Amino acid sequence: MSFDRAKLEQAVRMILEAVGEDPDREGLLDTPKRVARMYEEVFAGLHKDPAEELSAIFNEVHEEVVLVRDIPFYSMCEHHLVPFFGKAHVAYLPRNGRVTGLSKLARLVETVARRPQLQERITTTVADTLMNKLEARGVAVLVEAEHMCMSMRGVNKPGSRTVTTAVRGIFQEDKQAREEVFSLILK
């Protein structure tokens, strides 16, 4: 299924009317079009398989941790359709020299984040995709984010961060390996 821009524009117009606004006033005339284009952009991950981001796999004699820290991302809370944003830290331990390009880890996070989402699902999906596609010995993912549904509404606690983790393979089985990788992530 693809995006239906006309339907999105109609829905935004109806929301504006429902909150008591005049969608025909000057400042709002093009808002339905702008919001529809924005939704198409921020939900672009809905129509992509995250595993495709790891299509470039190389053989390199490297059997130690590969870590990309501080990957910024933006996503939308599926419960309130408001943004949450933060950083993802993605590490893996190659098996038999199977590595991917470093930018591919950032692209993986981006693709997974660009859909109505839960932070826990981003963390799990990134870990599982990386583990399965690279056949890694281990994967560790830590995601930290601020959720606007907690900051600007509801409990109204701006600045509070949520941290989620997912570990697979050796990082799940070996406490020392897990401690080592998280010491690198949290450095």
Side-chain angles (χ1 to χ4, degrees):
M1 185 174 168
S2 63
F3 285 94
D4 185 336
R5 198 178 278 180
K7 197 171 189 177
L8 280 168
E9 289 177 24
Q10 180 184 19
V12 172
R13 184 175 176 81
M14 290 174 66
I15 289 170
L16 290 170
E17 291 171 348
V19 299
E21 260 294 358
D22 175 8
D24 293 319
R25 75 173 171 83
E26 184 180 356
L28 295 176
L29 275 174
D30 290 329
T31 297
K33 288 179 182 169
R34 286 190 293 269
V35 172
R37 283 193 310 268
M38 183 229 10
Y39 270 37
E40 192 168 5
E41 180 181 336
V42 299
F43 294 145
L46 279 169
H47 307 292
K48 292 183 181 177
D49 177 0
E52 290 178 9
E53 300 297 351
L54 302 175
S55 61
I57 297 175
F58 309 101
N59 291 308
E60 183 63 38
V61 182
H62 185 81
E63 301 289 322
E64 301 295 327
V65 172
V66 176
L67 166 64
V68 177
R69 290 190 322 203
D70 299 322
I71 302 168
F73 74 90
Y74 296 88
S75 193
M76 294 284 270
C77 165
E78 69 181 35
H79 296 148
H80 303 98
L81 290 182
V82 294
F84 66 97
F85 56 93
K87 295 178 181 177
H89 314 279
V90 180
Y92 71 97
L93 195 57
R95 181 189 311 272
N96 300 324
R98 287 177 54 90
V99 299
T100 190
L102 300 176
S103 68
K104 304 305 182 195
L105 301 178
R107 290 180 191 277
L108 172 61
V109 169
E110 182 76 9
T111 296
V112 174
R114 289 198 172 253
R115 51 184 74 175
Q117 190 62 273
L118 297 174
Q119 181 174 331
E120 296 89 342
R121 190 176 309 124
I122 290 174
T123 310
T124 299
T125 303
V126 169
D128 290 342
T129 303
L130 197 54
M131 188 72 178
N132 295 333
K133 186 73 175 183
L134 292 184
E135 300 170 4
R137 290 178 44 220
V139 169
V141 177
L142 185 144
V143 175
E144 52 186 317
E146 181 172 348
H147 293 250
M148 297 310 291
C149 59
M150 282 184 56
S151 297
M152 66 183 279
R153 58 154 305 279
V155 71
N156 288 300
K157 296 299 177 206
S160 58
R161 294 183 321 168
T162 300
V163 176
T164 53
T165 63
V167 291
R168 304 291 183 266
I170 194 167
F171 298 129
Q172 192 171 30
E173 301 156 8
D174 183 327
K175 182 180 176 185
Q176 185 176 352
R178 180 183 178 128
E179 288 174 359
E180 179 186 344
V181 76
F182 277 106
S183 74
L184 291 171
I185 287 172
L186 298 171
K187 207 172 200 178

